[in-house]
Amino acid sequence: ETGVTQTPRHLVMGMTNKKSLKCEQHLGHNAMYWYKQSAKKPLELMFVYNFKEQTENNSVPSRFSPECPNSSHLFLHLHTLQPEDSALYLCASSQGLADTDTQYFGPGTRLTVL
Amino acid sequence: GQNIDQPTEMTATEGAIVQINCTYQTSGFNGLFWYQQHAGEAPTFLSYNVLDGLEEKGRFSSFLSRSKGYSYLLLKELQMKDSASYLCAVLDSNYQLIWGAGTKLIIKP
């Protein structure tokens, strides 16, 4: 247990569905992240939030829409996804954005797009 | 471009020692992290190096040479539970983490 939870752990959806991934951190951190992890590829940073404000959007397609209502919760809203979006989606949090702030990861949501 | 290279897979024997290498070419350097990720689980922090040299933490040690763009993670007295992927990540000049693809370590009895 790292103090970061994600739901659901597994999700199968069609290309026309709309779904949301949820992340919650119980560590009192101020920064939260969404990553995409595909098999045998490096982690891809998608979004960064610091004190609820989005500070990074790494050219992510608009079919992924993040939401950060407060410093403890982070959502990723999904719509009209493509099969190539199938991957493990990891949420992480850190105290801040300082260089030595270790990121703590959630267990991830395994997403399959049919 | 920015690049982190680490072997895709390694195999070692229980009780032995294994060294996982990581080389990097990044725009600037503000530190290097090693994370462990068991299959189906979250990556967990192992070490952070920003100065040259060896940092020892129990059975795990991490080494950094900034002039060579090189780091390694050394695992001693290997246990079956050490079977996992080991991820190398570098903080670049913009304090953005650049990740390697990970090294899958298989431990055999």
Side-chain angles (χ1 to χ4, degrees):
Chain A
E1 276 294 323
T2 62
V4 182
T5 58
Q6 290 186 243
T7 55
R9 294 294 308 274
H10 300 272
L11 178 63
V12 179
M13 58 188 289
M15 289 191 284
T16 57
N17 291 157
K18 285 186 180 181
K19 297 286 184 184
S20 294
L21 310 185
K22 179 182 176 182
C23 175
E24 184 173 359
Q25 57 96 359
H26 312 274
L27 301 168
H29 288 168
N30 299 309
M32 296 188 78
Y33 311 76
W34 278 118
Y35 284 93
K36 177 183 178 182
Q37 187 176 36
S38 302
K40 299 184 179 179
K41 288 186 178 179
L43 280 170
E44 297 173 48
L45 179 65
M46 300 174 73
F47 302 103
V48 181
Y49 279 81
N50 194 35
F51 290 97
K52 302 188 300 178
E53 298 297 318
Q54 186 174 304
T55 61
E56 195 82 36
N57 175 340
N58 270 0
S59 304
V60 180
S62 59
R63 57 185 183 269
F64 295 92
S65 174
E67 179 190 358
C68 188
N70 55 61
S71 292
S72 298
H73 294 86
L74 187 64
F75 295 89
L76 188 62
H77 304 299
L78 316 171
H79 63 98
T80 59
L81 294 191
Q82 305 297 313
E84 59 264 29
D85 297 324
S86 297
L88 181 69
Y89 288 84
L90 289 165
C91 173
S93 72
S94 64
Q95 184 61 50
L97 297 180
D99 52 352
T100 55
D101 279 343
T102 302
Q103 293 184 22
Y104 293 81
F105 286 83
T109 296
R110 174 68 63 187
L111 174 67
T112 303
V113 182
L114 301 176
Chain B
Q2 310 213 81
N3 197 47
I4 309 282
D5 283 314
Q6 45 181 140
T8 304
E9 187 174 297
M10 298 181 71
T11 303
T13 305
E14 191 177 15
I17 298 173
V18 71
Q19 178 175 308
I20 303 174
N21 296 325
C22 172
T23 57
Y24 60 89
Q25 300 92 37
T26 56
S27 56
F29 178 85
N30 282 301
L32 184 145
F33 290 83
W34 283 98
Y35 279 80
Q36 180 191 59
Q37 186 178 23
H38 286 102
E41 296 183 15
T44 55
F45 170 80
L46 287 178
S47 66
Y48 170 72
N49 294 66
V50 67
L51 299 176
D52 290 349
L54 187 68
E55 298 264 350
E56 297 186 70
K57 200 184 286 186
R59 294 188 299 114
F60 291 10
S61 302
S62 56
F63 172 83
L64 175 68
S65 169
R66 288 171 296 171
S67 62
K68 295 181 179 179
Y70 167 69
S71 172
Y72 67 72
L73 182 69
L74 190 72
L75 292 76
K76 301 177 185 176
E77 301 166 22
L78 285 170
Q79 302 174 10
M80 297 304 292
K81 67 178 182 179
D82 297 330
S83 292
S85 286
Y86 292 85
L87 310 179
C88 174
V90 171
L91 265 173
D92 69 7
S93 55
N94 294 319
Y95 294 98
Q96 186 160 127
L97 266 180
I98 311 300
W99 292 84
T103 298
K104 183 178 180 181
L105 178 62
I106 299 167
I107 310 295
K108 295 186 174 179

